[in-house]
Amino acid sequence: MAAFSRISNLRSPSTQACDLRRALAALILAAAPCGEAFAADAVSALEFGADPTGAKDSVQAINAALESGADVLVPAGSYTLTAGWISMTKPGQTLRCEAGATMRVVRPGRNATPALIVMPSAVGARVEGCAIDHDGGQFLPVRPFYPLEWDDAISYAPGVGLRNNPKNKSKSNAGIGVAVLVMADKAELRGMNVTRGWDNDIMVARYRLDAPGQSLGPYGVRIVDTRTSLAGSGAHSWEPNFFMGCGIDVGTGVDAVLQNNVDENSRIGFCVDEGGGASAHIIDSVSRHARMTKEPFVKANRMSSYYPAFGDPWHGSTISGSGFFFGGSTLSPINGQPMKDYKASVCTNCQAIEPEGVGVWLGRYSNGARFEGLKVVRPGLEAIWALGGTHSFKDTTLQQPNALKGSTGVWGRNYPWPQTPAIRAICANCLPYLRRQDAPRLNLSREQVQTTLDFRGLTVSPGPRGPSYSYTFSTRSASQTDFATIRAEGGSIAPGAKGLQSLEGSAGGAE
């Protein structure tokens, strides 16, 4: 900025502004990667009043820069976001942050509105290099969720709910807790670092902002070279405190590509959500140390949040502590209709490193997922748990499953669990996970109620001191017509297979 100051001392105010913009554009062009340069009329958020010291709110200034229609640069500095969110609305626009530019949400005692939303109108928009701290633990542990629309007059009164809420916006909207919400087709996030989302760090989904409601899309979103961490840092309920959240969640998105991303210490690493997410492509991505919720639900008919209650459709389908969660479906839970342009979701060279719970969790809405080169290292419980659908695995490596050895010590409490298998498959209509009459209500197809896992090239390493699990495979079936099946050919499998069938059709026993 010193060069800009010297220019300012010599030129008229209007010429100064022109020179400033040209000089800034030149700097941006020089720093941009080859083939990804900013437009010549790029602007700096500082021109519109953004404060790199963090002393005052920068939301309005950054939005004003974006509203200009030009590409926007956020220079190095610490920016505070106190009211509303950064909103991208222009198609093809780029928001780029310099190295050292960080944004932190500061809204203690408020509902968990996002830091950044890429609106549906911003088709092909890009966000590059931005570091965003949602600081989710500062928000109210409200349940149900509250709408996304920002209203500074609204606050929370214990035992009463929301106060000063003239618009009566108190309906459920699950998109509220994310740090970054992507709703535009073909949008791209690249080189970002997002942390402490109250719910998810990044979510690819379409929500209404003025009332409850969601729809399929966006289509073709790309998230590349991005780091997420500590998602699910806000409590979803008052009593007990229950935590949930994904580093990156393909909520209702279709054909999203997630490549070369890393998540650390989130409640779940990567999600293809049962809200409708489909055709996701997760490539060369790593989940490290996915964390279980610290306060489990404890009820007479439930051992913990890991084991769902009878007929409970939510906690029977996703748990914290999972490296990868797949819940996308051939049917939409939104309207029960077939998913448009549905194709199988694919996870290529994905790694779940020391999740406290499960390496890969396949929910009851999931179907047709494919895994190639999957590696799960020292999961606390099962390496793979499937509750529904037919899924295929090629060249899978599972190292020391059930590293907790039947203990829930991660919670600091004594809830003894039996040793778990390396791989578990349960038909989705088996009690206590689902009563048969619930299947139509939950839009479950016949293929999803039944569960089949096919492995070609499976290596299960029992660990240096012998197996930490009691058996390699476990299946559970309700009848001769509703079943769970595990089939495997090739690789190296430790003794103790139970419920195993070969891919050539020879039958094995069921648990």
Side-chain angles (χ1 to χ4, degrees), residues 28 267 411 423 446:
I28 295 170
R267 302 297 174 181
W411 286 321
I423 303 170
R446 180 71 174 175

Side-chain angles (χ1 to χ4, degrees), residues 319-397:
I319 62 165
S320 57
S322 299
F324 294 84
F325 167 73
F326 279 67
S329 170
T330 53
L331 294 178
S332 168
I334 298 171
N335 55 26
Q337 300 302 309
M339 297 281 285
K340 180 182 178 182
D341 300 329
Y342 172 82
K343 297 185 289 293
S345 292
V346 181
C347 201
T348 304
N349 295 333
C350 294
Q351 297 184 56
I353 310 297
E354 295 189 336
E356 290 183 351
V358 175
V360 173
W361 178 277
L362 297 161
R364 65 166 48 98
Y365 283 109
S366 63
N367 192 39
R370 301 202 315 268
F371 296 83
E372 297 183 6
L374 172 68
K375 186 174 184 180
V376 181
V377 178
R378 286 181 53 81
L381 300 166
E382 293 90 348
I384 299 171
W385 171 295
L387 193 57
T390 297
H391 309 281
S392 63
F393 298 78
K394 180 181 178 181
D395 298 331
T396 300
T397 300

Side-chain angles (χ1 to χ4, degrees), residues 144-170:
F145 303 106
Y146 289 91
L148 290 163
E149 183 167 304
W150 175 264
D151 186 339
D152 194 57
I154 298 174
S155 60
Y156 170 72
V160 176
L162 294 185
R163 299 184 301 185
N164 305 320
N165 190 13
K167 297 180 181 180
N168 194 31
K169 294 185 179 299
S170 59

Side-chain angles (χ1 to χ4, degrees), residues 118-196:
V118 185
M119 295 293 185
S121 60
V123 176
R126 294 165 60 96
V127 185
E128 301 179 4
C130 296
I132 296 176
D133 182 357
H134 199 228
D135 196 6
Q138 70 181 304
F139 296 119
L140 297 168
V142 293
R143 191 183 183 207
F145 303 106
Y146 289 91
L148 290 163
E149 183 167 304
W150 175 264
D151 186 339
D152 194 57
I154 298 174
S155 60
Y156 170 72
V160 176
L162 294 185
R163 299 184 301 185
N164 305 320
N165 190 13
K167 297 180 181 180
N168 194 31
K169 294 185 179 299
S170 59
K171 301 292 182 66
S172 174
N173 191 327
I176 193 168
V178 303
V180 177
L181 176 59
V182 182
M183 298 202 289
D185 292 345
K186 299 181 181 179
E188 180 173 326
L189 307 183
R190 182 178 291 270
M192 296 184 66
N193 191 332
V194 185
T195 189
R196 294 200 292 178

